[in-house]
Amino acid sequence: MPGYAARVTAREQPGPDGTGASGPDGAPAPQEPALTAAQRRAVRDADPGTGAVHAAASTLRRLERLGLARAYGRVGAHYLTAAGRDLRDRLLRPPPGSAAPPPRAGFTPATGDGPPGDGPPGDGRADESAGGQHAAAAARAWEALLEIRRVTGESPERLPRPLGVPAPWERARPVHAVALALEAAGLPPSAVHPTGRRVRTGYRVTEGDTPGTARVEWRYAAGAAPDGDRTDDARRRLDTCAGVLGDRGWDTERYLGAARRPYLLAVPRRPGRSAAPGGR
């Protein structure tokens, strides 16, 4: 079993994941392309998770010419480019002094800190059909993410593994991307009751110690005890997570945190670099 290096950081307390950071104040606003109302609506209404665009053929062709979207495959699926995503963010940004719009619907992978309703079926919940629907949505989101990798050219055929490396969109959202890779592979996420009690055993993904990384732990439901030593069991479970992430474009480093609790630090693989067997 690969060894874990001791690494206790200042951030050892569980809590909600933070997201993003705003750019510097006073930065010049990007020049907006000339778009019709239909074209702006197509960009604004693109899927917030995958960037998939659904619009008339003429609208999609115009977005392609402007570099805001790209087509992939014989079915003609279109996805926003990095420039298109930036434009979408600006279109959704409320004017100064106005109220923020409600969040848009889209698939959100389970990070392990959500309510028991998130995650796959078979975890003891009353509504098994909802769990099956969430698992199917995770699989669809992963397939869409692979399309993003192909569209953005981050998974060339010369790479030794067909899944390649994470796209820029994933590297900008490592917690989301790593959680999606794990959940789409069928691994169970942990869960927390609204009272704060951890009620399901599984993986937990939070922001890593350095920008652009994600931390993966194996957390146990309150009162749950695996057969044998809990630390050894957590290491075995994390080895499985490392194998999944290695196959899906993420390298992993093994560490021991507070109370010698093992965890993985997931790092996006660089183009042209093959995965180490079972992670690092």
Side-chain angles (χ1 to χ4, degrees):
M1 183 179 298
Y4 283 72
R7 184 178 182 179
V8 180
T9 66
R11 185 186 54 77
E12 292 288 351
Q13 298 299 323
D17 298 325
T19 56
S22 60
D25 293 335
Q31 183 177 2
E32 300 288 357
L35 297 176
T36 65
Q39 292 159 2
R40 285 177 173 267
R41 185 166 56 251
V43 173
R44 187 181 62 246
D45 293 345
D47 187 281
T50 65
V53 187
H54 304 283
S58 59
T59 298
L60 294 173
R61 286 194 298 269
R62 173 62 176 167
L63 296 179
E64 278 193 84
R65 286 196 295 270
L66 292 172
L68 299 174
R70 289 182 62 182
Y72 178 80
R74 289 174 296 179
V75 297
H78 283 71
Y79 298 87
L80 293 180
T81 61
R85 288 181 177 276
D86 288 343
L87 175 59
R88 180 181 181 276
D89 290 343
R90 295 196 296 274
L91 291 176
L92 292 175
R93 190 176 302 151
S98 64
R104 299 180 62 82
F107 179 78
T108 300
T111 63
D113 279 329
D118 293 342
D123 56 8
R125 293 175 304 143
D127 189 354
E128 291 291 306
S129 63
Q133 292 171 3
H134 195 274
R140 290 193 299 270
W142 175 252
E143 290 301 319
L145 191 56
L146 294 184
E147 295 297 321
I148 293 175
R149 291 187 183 185
R150 296 183 181 108
V151 168
T152 57
E154 293 292 329
S155 183
E157 294 297 329
R158 61 182 176 81
L159 287 179
R161 299 213 174 192
L163 298 183
V165 297
W169 181 85
E170 297 173 79
R171 293 196 289 267
R173 303 162 178 82
V175 171
H176 182 109
V178 167
L180 176 57
L182 293 173
E183 186 174 8
L187 297 182
S190 184
V192 178
H193 190 269
T195 60
R197 178 182 174 88
R198 192 163 294 276
V199 293
R200 189 170 64 215
T201 298
Y203 68 79
R204 176 179 183 247
V205 184
T206 58
E207 290 183 350
D209 305 328
T210 56
T213 65
R215 174 176 173 143
V216 183
E217 302 171 90
W218 192 262
R219 302 300 296 270
Y220 294 90
D227 295 334
D229 182 80
R230 176 175 286 195
T231 299
D232 287 343
D233 181 76
R235 286 177 174 175
R236 287 191 293 270
R237 303 287 188 173
L238 289 175
D239 284 346
T240 299
C241 294
V244 167
L245 294 174
D247 286 340
R248 298 186 172 216
W250 294 82
D251 292 328
T252 52
E253 302 168 358
R254 292 167 167 83
Y255 294 104
L256 293 174
R260 298 188 63 79
R261 178 182 293 159
Y263 70 92
L264 303 175
L265 190 66
V267 181
R269 189 172 306 132
R270 296 188 299 273
R273 178 177 178 179
S274 59
R280 283 189 276 171

